[in-house]
Amino acid sequence: MAAKKASETFSKSMIEDVHKWGCLKQTGVSLRYMMEFGSKPNERNLLISAQFLHKELPIRIARRTIELENLPYGLSHKPAVLKVRDWYLDSFRDLRTFPDIKNMNDEKTFTDMIKAIKVRHNNVVPTMALGVQQLKKGMDPKIVYEDLDEIHQFLDRFYMSRIGIRMLIGQHVELHNPHPAPHCVGYIDTKMSPVEVARNASEDARSICCREYGSAPDVHIYGDPDFTFPYVPAHLHLMVFELVKNSLRAVQERSMDSDKVTPPIRIIVADGLEDVTIKVSDEGGGIARSGLPKIFTYLYSTARNPLDEDADVGISDNVTMAGYGYGLPICRLYARYFGGDLQIISMEGYGTDAYLHLSRLGDSQEPLP
């Protein structure tokens, strides 16, 4: 099937509108601002929030749409990427055709619409991964994928922007929850215990490991369970889950043919003045130094690819122990979104330490790619 340009499926005036909005300046929001603004979810604040999103979301979505049209190596024309581009254009059109938000009835209708936009974009990550797979299949095998800098930089910008869009929509929608959990302001838990989140994420990762291998190494967690700080538990869960999952797989595969006792994974939670740092340590054999630069690229995974070209990505949502090489780079983006970072230190022949730094100040603005 020939790739359709956006101009063939969407009106000329809308495409011009996308380019106009894509040139406008984005407005970043800090964790602290989201927390303070959302702590009083009265009608006035919900209205202000909806009016802000009505102007901000089309700018962010337009920027990504323009990039999706202009990717190198023919990536823009891959069927999976065209599907993602159409989702972005549909969402842009929904936002731009929505009238000005003047009262709470408008606000409610708008909230329902952005909720639907969030659902529409649920499968963006696996679908883009499929597009990259389609590109890799047709490329000269001699090309070193790690050198495809333009694609890596695009995917970093694209996914960072997606994290921001989903955070803003989710935060606004959650402020309508009539029965929020204690200490919660939208998605933000003002008294989040990193030890507790790490424990839950580790249990989830271990259950997947058991499903795949029949058993799972133990996970030992060290840190003060009563220590809390404001953060987004869903983000931290995702990051720790991914890191522990990688460690479990490495340890499990290394010790499968060994008679020795399987070494545990260790998680240490430390609270500093600026950062909360979570270290995930394993004795899974480590990563060769030559392989370290590859672990944060989107085109590399040591595991078989769980994406099937012929499968409809909309149907299957199974989590596997190893993915399409997206776990670590996306983890690092989640950490950086609120001013943190992720570092991997490895000892080949022994194991790997992942240091997840989370800013506890909450002052840094969203990165706006």
Side-chain angles (χ1 to χ4, degrees), residues 168-201:
L168 292 181
I169 293 177
Q171 183 69 3
H172 178 80
V173 169
E174 192 53 35
L175 289 177
H176 289 74
N177 184 346
H179 308 293
H183 322 300
C184 282
V185 176
Y187 271 4
I188 303 158
D189 184 347
T190 59
K191 293 189 174 176
M192 184 196 75
S193 160
V195 168
E196 191 185 323
V197 175
R199 189 174 291 125
N200 293 336

Coordinates of all heavy atoms in Angstrom, one line a residue, residues 168-201:
L168 N 0.2 15.9 31.7 CA -0.7 17.1 31.8 C -2.1 16.6 31.7 O -3.0 17.1 32.4 CB -0.4 18.1 30.7 CG 1.0 18.9 30.8 CD1 1.1 19.8 29.6 CD2 1.1 19.6 32.1
I169 N -2.4 15.7 30.7 CA -3.8 15.3 30.6 C -4.2 14.5 31.8 O -5.3 14.7 32.4 CB -4.0 14.4 29.3 CG1 -3.8 15.2 28.0 CG2 -5.4 13.7 29.3 CD1 -3.9 14.5 26.7
G170 N -3.4 13.5 32.2 CA -3.7 12.7 33.3 C -3.9 13.4 34.6 O -4.8 13.2 35.4
Q171 N -3.1 14.5 34.8 CA -3.1 15.3 36.0 C -4.5 16.0 36.0 O -5.2 16.1 37.0 CB -2.0 16.3 36.0 CG -1.9 17.2 37.3 CD -1.5 16.4 38.5 OE1 -1.3 15.2 38.5 NE2 -1.5 17.1 39.7
H172 N -4.9 16.6 34.9 CA -6.1 17.4 34.8 C -7.3 16.4 35.1 O -8.2 16.8 35.8 CB -6.3 18.0 33.4 CG -7.6 18.8 33.3 ND1 -7.8 20.1 33.8 CD2 -8.7 18.4 32.7 CE1 -9.0 20.4 33.5 NE2 -9.6 19.5 32.9
V173 N -7.3 15.3 34.4 CA -8.4 14.3 34.5 C -8.5 13.9 36.0 O -9.6 13.8 36.6 CB -8.2 13.1 33.6 CG1 -9.2 12.0 33.9 CG2 -8.4 13.6 32.1
E174 N -7.4 13.5 36.6 CA -7.4 13.0 38.0 C -7.9 14.0 39.0 O -8.4 13.6 40.0 CB -6.0 12.5 38.3 CG -5.8 11.6 39.5 CD -6.8 10.4 39.6 OE1 -7.1 9.8 38.6 OE2 -7.2 10.1 40.7
L175 N -7.7 15.3 38.7 CA -8.2 16.4 39.6 C -9.7 16.3 39.8 O -10.3 16.9 40.7 CB -7.7 17.7 39.2 CG -6.2 18.0 39.3 CD1 -5.9 19.4 38.8 CD2 -5.7 17.9 40.8
H176 N -10.4 15.6 38.8 CA -11.8 15.5 38.9 C -12.3 14.3 39.8 O -13.4 14.2 40.1 CB -12.4 15.3 37.5 CG -12.4 16.5 36.7 ND1 -11.2 16.9 36.1 CD2 -13.4 17.3 36.3 CE1 -11.5 18.0 35.4 NE2 -12.7 18.3 35.5
N177 N -11.3 13.5 40.3 CA -11.6 12.4 41.1 C -12.2 12.9 42.4 O -11.6 13.6 43.2 CB -10.3 11.6 41.4 CG -10.6 10.3 42.2 OD1 -11.7 10.1 42.7 ND2 -9.6 9.4 42.2
P178 N -13.5 12.5 42.7 CA -14.1 13.0 43.9 C -13.6 12.4 45.2 O -13.7 12.9 46.3 CB -15.6 12.6 43.7 CG -15.6 11.5 42.7 CD -14.4 11.6 41.9
H179 N -12.9 11.2 45.0 CA -12.3 10.6 46.2 C -10.9 10.3 46.0 O -10.5 9.1 45.9 CB -13.1 9.3 46.5 CG -14.6 9.5 46.6 ND1 -15.2 10.2 47.6 CD2 -15.6 9.0 45.8 CE1 -16.5 10.2 47.4 NE2 -16.8 9.5 46.3
P180 N -10.0 11.3 46.0 CA -8.6 11.0 45.8 C -8.0 10.3 46.9 O -8.5 10.4 48.1 CB -8.0 12.4 45.7 CG -8.9 13.3 46.4 CD -10.3 12.7 46.2
A181 N -6.9 9.5 46.7 CA -6.2 8.8 47.7 C -5.6 9.8 48.7 O -5.3 10.9 48.3 CB -5.2 7.9 47.1
P182 N -5.4 9.4 49.9 CA -4.8 10.3 50.9 C -3.5 10.9 50.4 O -2.7 10.1 49.7 CB -4.6 9.5 52.1 CG -5.4 8.2 52.0 CD -5.6 8.1 50.5
H183 N -3.2 12.1 50.6 CA -2.0 12.8 50.2 C -1.8 13.0 48.7 O -0.7 13.3 48.3 CB -0.7 12.1 50.8 CG -0.8 11.5 52.1 ND1 -1.1 12.3 53.2 CD2 -0.7 10.3 52.6 CE1 -1.2 11.6 54.3 NE2 -1.0 10.3 53.9
C184 N -2.8 12.6 47.9 CA -2.6 12.7 46.4 C -3.2 13.9 45.8 O -4.3 14.3 46.2 CB -3.2 11.4 45.8 SG -2.1 10.0 46.0
V185 N -2.4 14.5 45.0 CA -2.9 15.7 44.2 C -2.8 15.3 42.7 O -1.7 15.3 42.1 CB -2.0 16.9 44.4 CG1 -2.4 18.1 43.5 CG2 -2.0 17.3 45.9
G186 N -3.9 14.8 42.2 CA -3.9 14.3 40.8 C -3.0 13.0 40.8 O -3.2 12.1 41.6
Y187 N -2.0 13.0 39.9 CA -1.1 11.9 39.8 C 0.0 11.9 40.9 O 0.8 11.0 41.0 CB -0.4 12.0 38.4 CG -1.1 11.2 37.3 CD1 -2.3 10.7 37.5 CD2 -0.5 11.2 36.0 CE1 -2.9 10.0 36.4 CE2 -1.1 10.5 35.0 CZ -2.3 10.0 35.2 OH -2.9 9.3 34.1
I188 N 0.1 13.0 41.6 CA 1.3 13.2 42.5 C 0.9 12.8 43.9 O -0.1 13.2 44.4 CB 1.7 14.7 42.5 CG1 2.1 15.2 41.1 CG2 2.9 14.9 43.4 CD1 2.0 16.7 40.9
D189 N 1.8 11.9 44.5 CA 1.6 11.6 45.9 C 2.5 12.4 46.7 O 3.8 12.3 46.5 CB 1.9 10.1 46.0 CG 1.7 9.6 47.5 OD1 1.5 10.4 48.4 OD2 1.7 8.4 47.7
T190 N 2.0 13.3 47.5 CA 2.8 14.3 48.3 C 3.6 13.5 49.4 O 4.6 14.1 49.9 CB 2.0 15.4 48.9 OG1 1.0 14.8 49.8 CG2 1.3 16.2 47.8
K191 N 3.2 12.3 49.7 CA 4.0 11.5 50.7 C 4.2 10.1 50.2 O 3.8 9.1 50.8 CB 3.2 11.5 52.0 CG 3.0 12.8 52.7 CD 2.4 12.7 54.1 CE 2.5 14.1 54.8 NZ 1.8 14.0 56.1
M192 N 5.0 10.1 49.0 CA 5.3 8.8 48.4 C 6.4 8.1 49.1 O 7.5 8.8 49.3 CB 5.6 9.0 46.9 CG 5.8 7.7 46.2 SD 6.6 7.9 44.6 CE 8.3 8.3 45.2
S193 N 6.3 6.9 49.5 CA 7.4 6.1 50.0 C 8.1 5.4 48.9 O 7.6 4.4 48.4 CB 6.9 5.1 51.1 OG 7.8 4.1 51.3
P194 N 9.4 5.8 48.6 CA 10.1 5.1 47.5 C 10.3 3.6 47.8 O 10.3 2.8 46.9 CB 11.4 5.9 47.4 CG 11.5 6.7 48.6 CD 10.1 6.9 49.1
V195 N 10.5 3.3 49.1 CA 10.7 1.9 49.5 C 9.5 1.1 49.2 O 9.6 0.0 48.6 CB 11.1 1.8 51.0 CG1 11.0 0.3 51.5 CG2 12.5 2.4 51.2
E196 N 8.3 1.6 49.5 CA 7.1 0.9 49.2 C 6.8 0.7 47.7 O 6.5 -0.4 47.2 CB 5.9 1.7 49.8 CG 4.6 0.9 49.9 CD 3.4 1.8 50.4 OE1 3.7 2.6 51.3 OE2 2.3 1.6 49.9
V197 N 7.1 1.8 46.9 CA 6.9 1.7 45.5 C 7.9 0.7 44.9 O 7.5 -0.2 44.1 CB 7.1 3.1 44.8 CG1 7.0 2.9 43.3 CG2 6.0 4.1 45.3
A198 N 9.1 0.7 45.4 CA 10.1 -0.2 44.9 C 9.7 -1.7 45.2 O 9.9 -2.6 44.4 CB 11.5 0.1 45.6
R199 N 9.1 -1.9 46.4 CA 8.7 -3.2 46.8 C 7.6 -3.7 45.9 O 7.6 -4.8 45.4 CB 8.2 -3.2 48.3 CG 7.9 -4.6 48.8 CD 7.5 -4.5 50.3 NE 8.7 -4.1 51.1 CZ 8.7 -3.1 52.0 NH1 7.6 -2.4 52.2 NH2 9.7 -2.8 52.7
N200 N 6.6 -2.8 45.6 CA 5.5 -3.2 44.7 C 6.0 -3.5 43.3 O 5.6 -4.5 42.6 CB 4.4 -2.1 44.6 CG 3.7 -2.0 45.9 OD1 3.6 -2.9 46.7 ND2 3.1 -0.8 46.2
A201 N 6.9 -2.6 42.8 CA 7.4 -2.8 41.4 C 8.2 -4.1 41.3 O 8.2 -4.8 40.3 CB 8.3 -1.6 41.0

